[in-house]
Amino acid sequence: MDNKAIAERLDSFATLLELAGANPYSARAYRRAAELIRTTQAPVADLIRAGRARELRGIGRGIEGRLKELVETGKIAELEELERQVSPDLVGLGLYLGIGARRAVQIGEALGIRTADELREAAAAGRLKEVPGIGPATESKLLAALAREDEPRPARGMLLHRARRLLAEIAEPLGAIPAGDPRRYKDSNDRLAVVAGADDPLPVLDAFESLPQIVTVLDRSERRAHGVTVEGVPVELVVVAGERLGTELVRATGSPEYVAALEPLPDAPDEQGVYRALGIPFCPPELREEPFRCEPPPLVELAQIRGDLHAHTTWSDGTATVEQMALAAIARGYEYLAICDHTPAVGAVRGLTPDDVRRQADEIAAANEQLAPFRVLRGIECDILPDGRLDLPDDVLAELEWVQASVHGGQRLKRSEQTKRVVEALRHPSVRCLSHPTGRLIGRRPENALDLERAFEVALEEGVAFEVNGLAPRLDLSGEHVREALKAGLQIVCSTDAHSILGLDNMVLSVATARRGWATADRVLNTRPLDEILR
Ligand SMILES: [Zn+2]
Ligand SMILES: [Zn+2]
């Protein structure tokens, strides 16, 4: 059993625990463990067999027991029991229809049903009122929702990394291509679709229905199906004859406005063919938001990135050492990596004191000696205190080669105060880049009340760059803000904010977000060699 398979089982366990209304902390602990195992390099199954699972940080005794059971027997008994109790397809359909998971489980128990089909039958037979707590009003609401069941409904804002992972898992066994919002790297994804080319659609549709990720299928026609995941997320499958694959791919990828402006689309086996037949230049998926028929600029590409300027290590809340992170950066073809651990004011996790910063310098120097000509930069992610001062003394900051300034606490300050505070930090002579400039957490926390236009102005005067943070819950700056920043004349930095080796792969998301903001390589600081970046 490889790490990916173990992580998937833990994720299912977490989902079912959540759905069964278990203690939210235990569900979260399993999710964290799944993420940890996904990002661990060594084969976790071996560690478990050797009784060393708890050396992985965040794996407690309870989870270790489940892991042992999984590796030794290939299953987790309680997970199978939960699957029996919770009936994932009933819960998936319920969530899709807007019924909470617990309610769906209650309905199932009260009616003695286990599947989505049985729910539909029971509803049609007028049995919903037998469920305690369901009166005529709720019944008619549910019946109405069931009647509209096959109308495509948005997925309600799935984060990009999860949406892309889900679509990849669904597309791969079908030989399909992931499309929909995630192909445009939207920060919050509502339309999830995959497109398959096949002359005979039947086997593809059948395979789609039997995927573990798809718990129930809402509707199915000759060449199309809508399935739902256990979390109630709808996924669309389009099967098309090979000679029209490009056409349907364009249709399933662009925003409705973008596609409508190109219709009627000519038939072609690939997207290039569609654009050729339309007589317009090819448009990268990231730009297919607003209607656009012109020649796009040469957008920055992942291969042009020469280094990552924001990564954490075990010195703060990362899971890998300086050397491990540097080796991983070398493996990604980079020339440099800035180690930017936290400072004490960050609060929730360990932050580096001036003394720590100097001790870390020795470790970085040793890594540099070993790994030359690769360069590990002495950096920091320094908190901006509420009054605009930085969280380390000026002389310590002056020693560093790359200083990121970050707002972590005090996100709710008034606009005037937040702006004043950030402007003051941007004026600091050591600061090179503002991290996650708006502080948003997608779907969870709005942008800080920061006057971005003013911040752009000051950053331009001071030669400070703005980060495009590649963590999926952040993607900050957003594509729209990247566009505004570039119009204001700023430089941006594509960074991962990696807290693990695999976290370095978030560069894909950062670069895609910059592309959504029409960024070309000359505007992205870390496409340059190091001697042009250091000052
Ligand atoms: Zn941060
Ligand atoms: Zn960070």
Side-chain angles (χ1 to χ4, degrees):
M1 205 174 243
D2 63 7
N3 290 1
K4 190 166 154 258
I6 296 174
E8 269 168 27
R9 295 309 284 159
L10 288 192
D11 263 335
S12 321
F13 198 42
T15 301
L16 287 175
L17 282 173
E18 264 161 26
L19 297 180
N23 177 348
Y25 292 104
S26 55
R28 244 175 274 153
Y30 279 98
R31 248 194 233 301
R32 262 203 310 273
E35 208 49 50
L36 177 73
I37 288 170
R38 224 178 242 115
T39 59
T40 298
Q41 300 267 298
V44 169
D46 293 350
L47 285 179
I48 296 166
R49 275 192 214 98
R52 292 173 50 205
R54 291 176 69 193
E55 286 174 21
L56 298 168
R57 286 200 291 172
I59 305 273
R61 188 167 317 208
I63 297 180
E64 185 191 21
R66 296 289 194 293
L67 286 172
K68 256 185 90 181
E69 185 188 349
L70 178 61
V71 169
E72 282 165 9
T73 68
K75 58 184 190 185
I76 301 176
E78 196 187 338
L79 174 59
E80 300 197 338
E81 179 57 34
L82 271 172
E83 269 167 351
R84 268 192 296 279
Q85 268 172 31
V86 173
S87 4
D89 67 331
L90 197 56
V91 169
L93 176 64
L95 286 172
Y96 174 76
L97 295 175
I99 309 170
R102 291 182 92 149
R103 196 84 181 112
V105 172
Q106 279 169 6
I107 292 175
E109 277 169 7
L111 296 178
I113 57 172
R114 298 198 24 80
T115 66
D117 279 338
E118 285 167 358
L119 175 66
R120 293 180 190 111
E121 275 166 34
R127 288 186 57 211
L128 283 178
K129 9 181 203 313
E130 291 169 26
V131 181
I134 293 197
T138 313
E139 184 190 20
S140 60
K141 232 169 63 193
L142 279 178
L143 287 174
L146 279 165
R148 288 191 317 265
E149 193 190 300
D150 55 358
E151 283 170 26
R153 208 169 303 197
R156 280 178 310 213
M158 200 178 211
L159 290 179
L160 183 56
H161 63 320
R162 294 187 53 211
R164 285 186 63 87
R165 189 195 294 159
L166 175 67
L167 283 194
E169 281 169 12
I170 289 175
E172 204 214 44
L174 305 178
I177 304 168
D181 293 346
R183 185 156 177 248
R184 305 201 306 284
Y185 290 89
K186 271 193 79 180
D187 45 19
S188 171
N189 295 268
D190 300 324
R191 185 187 180 197
L192 304 184
V194 299
V195 182
D199 291 327
D200 179 8
L202 209 62
V204 186
L205 286 159
D206 286 346
F208 178 68
E209 277 207 34
S210 59
L211 287 174
Q213 291 84 0
I214 299 296
V215 294
T216 184
V217 167
L218 301 173
D219 74 322
R220 176 174 161 163
S221 57
E222 206 186 321
R223 294 196 159 270
R224 219 171 262 272
H226 284 98
V228 172
T229 69
V230 68
E231 279 138 330
V233 176
V235 180
E236 181 186 355
L237 165 70
V238 183
V239 192
V240 63
E243 66 262 23
R244 298 187 48 242
L245 182 59
T247 314
E248 286 305 326
L249 200 51
V250 170
R251 221 170 247 143
T253 299
S255 74
E257 303 75 45
Y258 177 83
V259 174
L262 293 186
E263 294 280 9
L265 292 181
D267 288 352
D270 55 35
E271 287 192 323
Q272 271 78 7
V274 176
Y275 284 93
R276 242 191 333 268
L278 285 170
I280 59 174
F282 179 82
C283 182
E286 293 93 330
L287 296 187
R288 300 186 202 168
E289 292 294 336
E290 303 150 23
F292 181 71
R293 306 177 74 98
C294 305
E295 180 76 40
L299 300 179
V300 59
E301 286 173 25
L302 186 61
Q304 292 173 306
I305 299 293
R306 290 179 186 249
D308 196 332
L309 292 170
H310 185 171
H312 295 264
T313 70
T314 45
W315 282 82
S316 63
D317 54 347
T319 59
T321 63
V322 169
E323 193 194 346
Q324 287 167 337
M325 291 299 279
L327 287 168
I330 291 170
R332 281 156 181 77
Y334 292 154
E335 297 163 18
Y336 48 87
L337 173 74
I339 300 297
C340 296
D341 280 307
H342 288 292
T343 56
V346 72
V349 301
R350 203 170 95 82
L352 273 61
T353 62
D355 199 41
D356 294 328
V357 171
R358 287 176 172 139
R359 284 192 297 127
Q360 190 185 50
D362 296 337
E363 195 173 323
I364 290 175
N368 275 325
E369 203 159 301
Q370 218 184 89
L371 304 173
F374 183 83
R375 277 288 303 282
V376 185
L377 303 185
R378 287 185 66 198
I380 197 81
E381 178 176 12
C382 188
D383 260 58
I384 304 173
L385 302 176
D387 62 3
R389 285 179 305 126
L390 294 180
D391 195 22
L392 284 176
D394 288 350
D395 61 325
V396 177
L397 290 170
E399 282 175 19
L400 298 173
E401 297 168 290
W402 183 257
V403 174
Q404 298 258 151
S406 298
V407 166
H408 288 125
Q411 313 241 18
R412 291 203 193 91
L413 287 182
K414 285 204 319 229
R415 185 174 164 96
S416 57
E417 287 168 42
Q418 192 69 271
T419 305
K420 185 163 168 283
R421 164 197 199 189
V422 169
V423 160
E424 192 151 330
L426 294 174
R427 297 271 190 220
H428 191 286
S430 293
V431 169
R432 298 298 311 276
C433 181
L434 183 66
S435 325
H436 40 71
T438 76
R440 72 163 177 171
L441 290 177
I442 297 163
R444 277 169 49 207
R445 187 169 72 203
E447 296 182 350
N448 296 342
L450 169 68
D451 182 346
L452 264 185
E453 228 172 286
R454 176 72 189 132
F456 289 161
E457 240 172 63
V458 176
L460 195 61
E461 286 169 26
E462 301 290 339
V464 175
F466 270 42
E467 177 180 80
V468 182
N469 187 293
L471 290 173
R474 290 193 182 273
L475 300 179
D476 182 8
L477 298 173
S478 66
E480 294 82 40
H481 287 325
V482 167
R483 209 168 174 185
E484 293 158 9
L486 296 179
K487 276 189 190 140
L490 279 199
Q491 290 281 330
I492 56 171
V493 175
C494 287
S495 290
T496 62
D497 203 351
H499 286 69
S500 66
I501 285 169
L502 285 186
L504 291 168
D505 294 334
N506 290 334
M507 191 58 85
V508 180
L509 304 187
S510 175
V511 169
T513 303
R515 289 166 62 87
R516 284 175 62 80
W518 299 69
T520 48
D522 58 321
R523 308 301 297 278
V524 181
L525 196 59
N526 52 325
T527 60
R528 307 216 187 131
L530 190 56
D531 56 7
E532 291 179 29
I533 293 177
L534 299 182
R535 62 184 183 201

